[in-house]
């Protein structure tokens, strides 16, 4: 099952707990007592997990879905965004996956809160934020699902220990350790277009610790994102080539403290729509983490990231370069410290601080589409930083669990600039943005009540914070014929919301979770139309979203059912210059999204599964003029063991060959993945 709520865990443990309780009254024979005393002379075994601290008690209060490894590695596309689509409320900025979209458009959000390609959800890998320091997008192609052991998605404002950026929620990715991953994993696959996947993971015990090395390489000619009736001689397939590699290690320092370290690198190259419209994203990162599991438990983390992005824009009329966005180097540094002191009985207290700083600079040249000469050189960039201090308390009172959290953030935006000069060096446009900083207080509170052995009731309220990215503040861009201007005066986004829900397990084999929510993002940053073919990033008064999310997980013998549904009524609150947007649905926001997976495991090593997904209509723009039609797709996954650890893997994407409209710019259409069949071999999974 994909849902692992606290209710389910406690229910499954009840049969085992009763015999243990009964043993408290048993008198052991003298020989057993002597043997027991002999055991105590030996030191307790040290177990290195490679994970952070256990999830807090309050996890069950908020709308949380956990995906286990068996689900993560059984995606029909083999990509992490496809895995996450099985979570109610998860949404990418566009419907296209990380093979056929511009990397800078890979923002993710939750709760249909809209966006402008920047992520409104905080994505963490082993505690480290993954968002690009300049753009705020998530490098999805750099996340290899086969290296993950678990994914936990918490929807709703992430005030408290999650940090600024968890406006719509938090997606926590956890690397697999030796307890969940085989010593050797290998995967090779090819599809009906000749595209290939190769990946491998090696795990080796080193004393009382372990090390894991992983790598993945994907490449292919891609498919035509342009509909047949809009293609021209310069139209190109969405070719892609990406690779990533990582080395991770964990070792004990003492009986209760372990150290974890990780280094990783990735590169992703894509071509979109026209020949020569190439984009490349690349990055490196390193982190070190100390986890203490004693009475005074703690988690101390530090990390550094370097990223770069390049992109060439091709004229849609002359099909020659008009812009060479040749470099966008950026750096992210940060860290977090969390302490869980044993101060009060019945209380799980978390005290800590976190910090993140982003620096980046855009370097691009405008090009004359006729002559090919450079007409203008542009530079833009700056720095943002955030220091947060938090305190949380989970208080267990019999069947009632109460959570309260308070957080203070000092956010700063400094060194902002934009400069454009002609080919001869004559200034064309110059902006020097004044530095600014501010303190913001956020909070969250909630409660969960174990009404019966099989029913938990919960309610929560919260606030959240997100800083504008350097991209939103200082980088203008063009998607012909629409020009979108940056805005150095953008304010921080603020979220206020509440939710109520329940987790119900009517029988052991079935878990149902339902949440009703009402969230509002104040100062929501959006691309607002201010004139024909001209937009500017602006703070809207608010985007309000209310709706219902539902998850179901069931297992009846060898058959499993997993479903997720999100219905959202979202609307822009407009006033002044945005008054004509009042009541409009936010751009790229569907009203209904859902998925249903039926699985069958007839024998050990076998898995046969089909997934039905639907997303309702949405709009490309704030004016609701460019509509994206609804899309319903069917995917399939089959794993058949061949012996000696080898399995045959058959995967199918979009089996009905549905036209998935991912972009509609005044009738200029992009499409998502067509019907695709994969055939491959796996070893050790």
């Amino acid at each position: 099952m994909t849902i692992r709520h606290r209710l389910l865990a406690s229910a499954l443990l009840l049969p085992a707990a009763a015999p243990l309780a009964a043993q408290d009254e048993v008198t052991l024979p003298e020989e057993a007592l002597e043997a027991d005393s002999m055991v105590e002379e030996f030191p307790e075994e040290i177990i290195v997990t490679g994970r952070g601290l256990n999830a807090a008690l309050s996890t069950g209060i908020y709308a949380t879905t956990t995906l286990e490894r068996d689900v993560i590695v059984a995606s029909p596309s083999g990509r992490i965004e496809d895995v996450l689509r099985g979570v109610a409320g998860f949404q990418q900025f566009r419907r296209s996956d990380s093979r056929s979209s511009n990397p800078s458009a890979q923002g993710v959000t939750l709760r249909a809160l809209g966006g402008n390609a920047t992520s409104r959800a905080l994505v963490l890998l082993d505690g480290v934020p993954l968002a690009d320091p300049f753009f705020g997008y998530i490098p999805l192609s750099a996340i290899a699902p086969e290296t993950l052991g678990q994914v936990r998605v918490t929807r709703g404002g992430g005030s408290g220990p999650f940090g600024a950026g968890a406006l719509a929620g938090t997606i926590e990715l956890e690397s697999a350790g030796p307890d969940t991953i085989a010593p050797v994993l290998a995967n090779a696959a090819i599809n009906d277009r000749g595209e290939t996947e190769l990946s491998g993971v090696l795990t080796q015990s080193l004393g009382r610790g372990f090390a894991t090395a992983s790598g993945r390489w994907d490449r292919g000619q891609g498919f035509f994102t342009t509909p047949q009736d809009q293609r021209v001689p310069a139209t190109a397939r969405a070719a892609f080539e990406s690779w990533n590699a990582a080395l991770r290690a964990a070792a004990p320092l003492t009986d209760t403290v372990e150290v974890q370290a990780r280094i990783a690198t990735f590169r992703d190259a894509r071509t979109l729509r026209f020949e020569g419209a190439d984009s490349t994203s690349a990055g490196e990162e390193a982190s070190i983490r100390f986890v203490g599991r004693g009475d005074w438990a703690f988690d101390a983390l530090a990390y550094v990231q370097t990223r770069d992005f390049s992109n060439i824009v091709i004229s849609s009329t002359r099909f020659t370069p008009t812009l060479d966005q040749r470099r966008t180097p950026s750096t992210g540094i940060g860290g977090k410290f969390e302490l869980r002191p044993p101060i009060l009985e019945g209380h799980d207290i978390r005290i800590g601080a976190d910090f993140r700083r982003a620096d980046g600079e855009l370097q691009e040249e405008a090009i004359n589409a006729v002559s090919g000469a450079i007409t203008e050189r542009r530079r833009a960039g700056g720095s943002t930083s955030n220091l947060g201090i938090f305190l949380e308390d989970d208080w267990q009172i019999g069947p009632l669990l109460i959570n309260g959290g308070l957080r203070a953030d000092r956010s700063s935006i400094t060194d902002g600039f934009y400069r454009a000069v002609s080919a001869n060096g004559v200034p064309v446009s110059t902006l020097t943005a004044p530095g600014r900083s501010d303190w913001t207080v956020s909070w969250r509170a909630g409660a969960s009540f174990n009404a019966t052995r099989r029913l938990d009731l919960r309610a929560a309220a919260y606030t959240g914070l997100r800083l504008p990215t350097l991209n939103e503040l200082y980088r203008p861009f063009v998607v012909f014929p629409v020009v979108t201007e940056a805005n150095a005066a953008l304010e921080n986004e603020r979220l206020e919301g509440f939710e109520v829900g329940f987790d119900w397990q009517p029988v052991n084999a079935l878990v149902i979770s339902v949440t009703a929510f009402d969230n509002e993002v104040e100062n929501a940053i959006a691309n607002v139309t201010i004139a024909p073919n001209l937009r500017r990033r602006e703070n809207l008064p608010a985007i309000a979203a209310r709706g219902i999310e539902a998850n179901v997980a069931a297992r009846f013998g060898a058959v499993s059912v997993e479903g997720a549904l999100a219905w959202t009524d979202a609307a822009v609150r407009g006033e002044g210059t945005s008054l004509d947007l009042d009541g409009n649905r936010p751009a790229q926001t569907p009203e209904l999204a859902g998925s249903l997976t039926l699985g069958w495991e007839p024998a050990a090593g076998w898995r046969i599964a089909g997934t039905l997904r639907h997303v309702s209509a949405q709009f490309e723009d704030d004016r609701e003029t460019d509509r994206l039609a609804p899309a319903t797709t069917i995917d399939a996954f089959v794993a058949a063991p061949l012996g000696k650890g080898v399995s045959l893997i058959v995967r199918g994407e979009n089996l009905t060959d549905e036209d998935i409209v991912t972009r509609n710019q005044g009738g200029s259409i992009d499409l998502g993945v067509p019907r695709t069949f994969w055939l491959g071999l796996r070893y050790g999974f």
Side-chain angles (χ1 to χ4, degrees):
M1 298 180 186
T2 63
I3 302 175
R4 296 290 191 268
H5 293 290
R6 182 175 57 82
L7 172 66
L8 176 58
S10 61
L12 294 178
L13 288 174
L14 279 174
L20 291 176
Q23 291 176 13
D24 292 342
E25 304 299 325
V26 175
T27 301
L28 296 176
E30 184 176 349
E31 295 81 2
L33 292 174
E34 291 177 356
D36 186 57
S37 64
M38 292 176 61
V39 172
E40 292 180 355
E41 296 177 4
F42 295 94
E44 184 178 349
E45 181 183 0
I46 298 174
I47 300 176
V48 175
T49 67
R51 296 189 288 269
L53 296 176
N54 291 336
L57 292 175
S58 56
T59 300
I61 293 177
Y62 301 91
T64 302
T65 298
T66 299
L67 306 178
E68 302 293 353
R69 180 168 173 80
D70 57 344
V71 174
I72 298 170
V73 299
S75 163
S77 73
R79 310 187 80 81
I80 188 62
E81 61 268 30
D82 192 35
V83 175
L84 292 171
R85 286 192 188 108
V87 177
F90 173 82
Q91 178 194 348
Q92 293 174 252
F93 174 64
R94 295 195 187 279
R95 297 172 176 177
S96 47
D97 64 19
S98 57
R99 293 165 294 193
S100 58
S101 67
N102 190 288
S104 63
Q106 289 178 177
V108 302
T109 190
L110 298 162
R111 297 241 153 119
L113 287 174
N116 57 5
T118 295
S119 296
R120 284 197 168 122
L122 178 65
V123 183
L124 305 172
L125 175 59
D126 297 326
V128 177
L130 290 182
D132 182 271
F134 189 92
F135 293 94
Y137 70 84
I138 307 302
L140 296 170
S141 62
I143 305 170
E146 56 271 17
T147 65
L148 301 178
Q150 190 180 84
V151 177
R152 184 166 58 245
V153 181
T154 303
R155 300 179 292 277
S159 174
F162 294 123
L167 194 78
T170 306
I171 300 173
E172 299 172 85
L173 311 176
E174 184 181 274
S175 294
D179 57 334
T180 57
I181 195 170
V184 179
L185 301 181
N187 175 76
I190 187 170
N191 70 15
D192 53 347
R193 292 187 297 273
E195 298 158 10
T196 56
E197 293 177 6
L198 291 172
S199 68
V201 185
L202 301 176
T203 303
Q204 177 66 51
S205 296
L206 300 174
R208 293 180 297 180
F210 69 90
T212 299
S214 62
R216 177 165 174 151
W217 179 33
D218 298 82
R219 66 183 300 272
Q221 64 175 339
F223 54 88
F224 285 106
T225 60
T226 306
Q228 178 72 46
D229 60 354
Q230 294 186 5
R231 294 176 195 170
V232 296
T235 298
R237 292 174 175 266
F240 63 95
E241 181 171 11
S242 64
W243 59 264
N244 61 74
L247 179 63
R248 184 170 179 265
L253 295 181
T254 70
D255 291 354
T256 59
V257 178
E258 69 179 71
V259 59
Q260 306 165 13
R262 182 178 185 270
I263 57 174
T265 182
F266 71 90
R267 187 179 187 277
D268 186 344
R270 308 179 196 177
T271 298
L272 296 177
R273 201 167 175 80
F274 299 120
E275 293 287 350
D278 302 327
S279 64
T280 302
S281 59
E284 298 80 28
E285 56 189 59
S287 64
I288 187 166
R289 188 181 197 182
F290 298 89
V291 180
R293 306 184 195 278
D295 292 337
W296 288 74
F298 65 87
D299 189 342
L301 169 71
Y303 61 88
V304 60
Q305 302 163 323
T306 62
R307 300 283 174 80
D308 204 351
F309 173 77
S310 64
N311 186 51
I312 296 177
V313 179
I314 300 295
S315 166
S316 60
T317 55
R318 292 186 174 274
F319 311 110
T320 56
T322 61
L323 180 69
D324 183 0
Q325 193 176 351
R326 59 185 182 85
R327 289 202 66 200
T328 315
S330 61
T331 303
I333 60 171
K336 175 183 176 180
F337 179 78
E338 178 182 322
L339 180 67
R340 300 186 183 182
I343 297 177
L344 298 172
E345 186 176 353
H347 291 258
D348 186 3
I349 297 174
R350 310 168 72 184
I351 305 170
D354 55 63
F355 174 77
R356 178 170 171 83
R357 178 181 174 88
D359 301 272
E361 178 179 316
L362 167 71
Q363 303 172 13
E364 68 180 24
E365 281 83 38
I367 301 172
N368 186 300
V370 178
S371 66
I374 294 176
T375 59
E376 194 171 282
R377 293 183 171 88
R378 304 165 187 154
R379 302 290 183 272
S383 301
T384 63
S385 65
N386 189 87
L387 172 64
I389 305 170
F390 62 86
L391 170 65
E392 284 238 330
D393 183 13
D394 298 342
W395 186 12
Q396 186 79 58
I397 313 171
L400 179 65
L401 175 62
I402 301 173
N403 166 257
L406 192 65
R407 179 181 176 90
D409 286 279
R410 186 182 188 276
S411 55
S412 299
I413 299 174
T414 57
D415 304 322
F417 73 95
Y418 175 81
R419 291 192 297 270
V421 299
S422 68
N424 298 323
V426 178
V428 176
S429 178
T430 301
L431 167 69
T432 301
R436 48 197 168 105
S437 61
D438 196 11
W439 280 96
T440 304
V441 175
S442 305
W443 55 269
R444 71 174 187 168
S448 175
F449 180 67
N450 186 207
T452 71
R453 179 176 174 269
R454 295 185 177 275
L455 177 66
D456 273 5
L457 306 176
R458 48 186 169 79
Y462 37 75
T463 62
L465 171 72
R466 184 183 77 86
L467 279 67
T469 63
L470 299 172
N471 177 55
E472 293 169 314
L473 290 164
Y474 308 120
R475 173 189 169 251
F477 69 95
V478 179
V479 178
F480 185 84
V482 179
V483 176
T484 302
E485 298 178 343
N487 185 350
L490 291 172
E491 300 179 21
N492 294 344
E493 293 182 337
R494 294 277 291 148
L495 178 134
E496 296 180 356
F498 66 87
E499 63 189 52
V500 295
F502 65 84
D503 304 316
W504 182 37
Q505 188 179 13
V507 294
N508 288 340
L510 174 65
V511 179
I512 299 171
S513 176
V514 177
T515 303
F517 66 90
D518 191 329
N519 289 181
E520 182 171 284
V521 180
E522 298 176 353
N523 297 324
I525 299 171
N527 299 334
V528 178
T529 301
I530 57 177
N533 292 329
L534 181 61
R535 298 175 185 169
R536 182 170 59 227
R537 295 189 179 98
E538 298 279 6
N539 286 112
L540 297 172
I543 290 177
R546 58 184 180 180
I548 296 175
E549 299 162 340
N551 290 279
V552 60
R555 180 176 290 276
F556 304 98
V559 177
S560 63
V561 179
E562 299 159 358
L565 182 68
W567 170 83
T568 311
D569 178 18
V572 172
R573 302 284 186 255
E575 61 183 37
T577 57
S578 62
L579 181 61
D580 57 344
L581 301 180
D582 188 63
N584 282 7
R585 192 167 186 82
Q588 302 292 341
T589 303
E591 182 177 11
L592 184 69
S595 67
L596 181 66
T597 298
L598 180 63
W600 181 40
E601 299 176 3
W606 280 85
R607 178 170 175 80
I608 302 171
T611 299
L612 174 69
R613 286 201 174 97
H614 175 78
V615 59
S616 64
Q618 58 199 75
F619 293 100
E620 176 79 26
D621 63 324
D622 58 327
R623 303 283 175 168
E624 298 188 344
T625 57
D626 297 325
R627 180 176 180 269
L628 308 181
T632 302
T633 59
I634 298 175
D635 301 332
F637 177 90
V638 177
L642 301 179
K644 297 184 178 180
V646 179
S647 294
L648 175 69
I649 305 296
V650 180
R651 302 175 353 218
E653 301 179 68
N654 192 7
L655 296 180
T656 59
D657 206 21
E658 175 90 347
D659 283 341
I660 307 169
V661 180
T662 63
R663 186 187 69 90
N664 178 4
Q665 196 84 56
S668 176
I669 301 292
D670 280 348
L671 300 176
V673 63
R675 181 168 47 225
T676 304
F677 294 100
W678 290 87
L679 182 65
L681 295 174
R682 281 182 174 178
Y683 174 77
F685 278 78

